[in-house]
Amino acid sequence: MDRAKILEELGPFCDIGDTPKITEKDGKFTLRMNRDGRPLKVIIDGGSQKVQTTWGVTTPRSHSSIAAMLSSEIFSNLKRWSETQYDLLKSISVTAKKLIPINGKTHDNRHISNVEETSALLNYLPRNQNSTEILLIDGAAGIGKTNLIEQLALLRSENYKTSLAPLILHVKSRGRVLSNIQDLMAFSLQTIRSNITYDQLPILVRYGLVIVAIDGFDELGDPNGYELAWTQLGELINFVRGNGTIILSGRDTFMGRERLMNDVKEIKKDIDVVTGLTLDSPNPDQARTYLRTCQWSDSDFSLPAVSVLLEEGSFAMRPVFLRLLGDVIKPKQLREKTENYLTSMLVTHMVEREAKLFGKAVDAVISPDKMEKFLMAFVREAARDMADSQTESLDESTFSWIAEAALEEGYPQEVIGLIKNRANVVGFLIPDERARYRKFINSQLMNFFLAQTTIDLVLKLELPKYLRRNLLGSEYLSIFIDVIAEEGASPESRMSKFIENAVWLAQNHSYVDRGIRNLGALLFASLPYFSMAEDAVLEDFEIDEALIRGTASAVSIKDVMISQLDSRGGDLGLLKFTNVSIVNLIANNSSRFPESFPNPKFITEGDGKQISDPKEIEEWLNARGRNHSETLSQGLASVAVSRHPVYKLLGRACRIRQYWLRAEDDIYGERVLKDKDWPLLRNILVKNDLLREEVRQASGRPSAFYHIRMRDRILAENHNDVEIAKFFSDLSASI
């Protein structure tokens, strides 16, 4: 303890315009300053670290440490903080019985199943002096990271009086780029009505009194990537070194314990504590338990449409969709449903429900079909406005204006007024932390509507503001891929025109903004839907993040630089790469690559492990398609199977995005089900209980629907997977 450090740590708490003064005598430091308009004298014993404070004319108080003094009402008043934070979070958080189950695993393989176990991870391991602890929470979009942090903050504020465990300040990125962490901390402090300022907060973190949780850290990007975010994080890590703890959350394609420790040079691997927690979707048993609390019965789970949704690995078991199934979509609405795409199915049900809630006066003038059309136009335009403004929420007056613009002309003013008032409270929107602001119930729904809007605008040869200035991340691109998968499967598909227009826009737009980069990302996401009959070429692109899912068409990729390519589950075997540079490749065992695929700088596997050694990268890619003979030695498919057309058919069928396949009104389903080798493949799938068949009424006539189970496991070809190994053995014996 010295004079400089005391001034650094306590100086930010003095009144604006005041200059703290410090003296030293007999090993004791005396600091004098004004605090909230009253003179404050602080005496610190340099040996025992005990403190005495005299604030104004009050009786001198003794504190066991500087930390105890900082938590008192003279400085941060953490007792009051905990009370106001608890009241706020209690009013906006879901009730205990409505909590989606947690399914997480730490980097050292500890299973985490509730908020209390997550809280116990903090300060669990012994620490060195002057260290920083980081809890990294990563996972896919919609997996529940934000809700978990919110529940952690609620738990700590509720128990503060008895435990005195550090409180948690939930700092959200709020969808902005070029964000400054200090600005975000200031907004979060204002939200809980704290008297603490952004420059005082790191002091409280350093002393272990408050934990700062930066939610959506991966969204703090600038136009040149994430250097600003890494730099700010490094500065914060150094500043709170002592007893400081930081929570970071981000999507699994960006965050990861290994990447964090490699990219943030300020982390001292031999001193700091870094705990990784990866969240996964609830397992089927957890999902059923949760839905039972929402009044679902055993008979509901036996419905074919429901049983498919609740399979292991199903997209439907992400918390965002489970919550919709529990709160909005009732089992009877799914009784005979075989919609191929989950998000559009849920949105359709929500639109149908919301269209009936505008009242009799509106129903008398506007038909249900037109109300549904209005609602879709309203939410799409709201999503675009948020994206253009780089924000997650809009004020109520803006929603009213959007509602009026989305309505057709010719309706009475009183009806327009009713619709504008009701539009602010439709089921797709919830209140924001700011008064009279609203946001979408989750970012996935916003991105779903934004993806639909993107297709419409590109078809009109328009390049909106959000495509010119925003950084399209993998969360948006993954939703965009689902939307174009449904668009591309339709017999009236607009994908060929979309691709043609996107290429034209890229060729005719300047490099002054991010437009060309983002168009490149959209075109890479669209690779499975390029025309098979043409020699297509994508060239001269620099792309920040690219995602490829499904089976890519035969396209030449030339003179392209990609910062991050996520190809998990994708088959890139037909692509031809020429002069292509890739920094980070995210891939897993089901990814497939052509001979021309370039070596990236490093590979991030599906479990977060990073590979940077050039020889290991070479071997890894060769084992997954780049060298055919090495691929055969790695997988379960025999030489005969891998060279038979049924193997490519199996890969194509397992990589199709939809849940149900049928031969009518679905281009990609038809290509699978009308293939000459489908009967052979179907028989082996049925034999191994990997195919679900249903005959239902569709478009007025009976139609066969097919669902392939365990698709990811089939593609991975893991030798330890007994069920899948038997399937490949049976397939080999049948050809």
Side-chain angles (χ1 to χ4, degrees), residues 220-230 254 471 514 517 544 563:
L220 301 180
D222 62 63
N224 298 311
Y226 295 97
E227 289 305 314
L228 175 64
W230 291 132
F254 179 83
L471 190 156
R514 310 190 62 80
R517 289 174 175 261
D544 298 295
S563 296

Side-chain angles (χ1 to χ4, degrees), residues 88-106:
L88 172 67
L89 293 176
K90 194 67 176 176
S91 66
I92 64 175
S93 299
V94 295
T95 59
K97 75 171 190 174
K98 287 287 187 178
L99 283 177
I100 300 291
I102 295 171
N103 186 17
K105 182 179 288 187
T106 63

Side-chain angles (χ1 to χ4, degrees), residues 406-464:
L407 266 177
E408 295 178 352
E409 296 182 357
Y411 295 118
Q413 281 300 315
E414 58 269 22
V415 170
I416 294 174
L418 290 171
I419 291 174
K420 287 167 62 177
N421 288 333
R422 171 65 194 172
N424 272 302
V425 294
V426 295
F428 294 104
L429 304 172
I430 57 174
D432 186 45
E433 288 93 340
R434 292 178 289 179
R436 303 187 68 79
Y437 274 72
R438 303 187 72 80
K439 60 184 178 181
F440 282 98
I441 55 177
N442 56 70
S443 60
Q444 284 192 285
L445 272 182
M446 175 185 165
N447 284 327
F448 175 78
F449 297 128
L450 190 62
Q452 292 180 323
T453 301
T454 301
I455 294 173
D456 291 340
L457 293 173
V458 171
L459 287 170
K460 297 175 184 177
L461 287 176
E462 293 183 25
L463 199 59

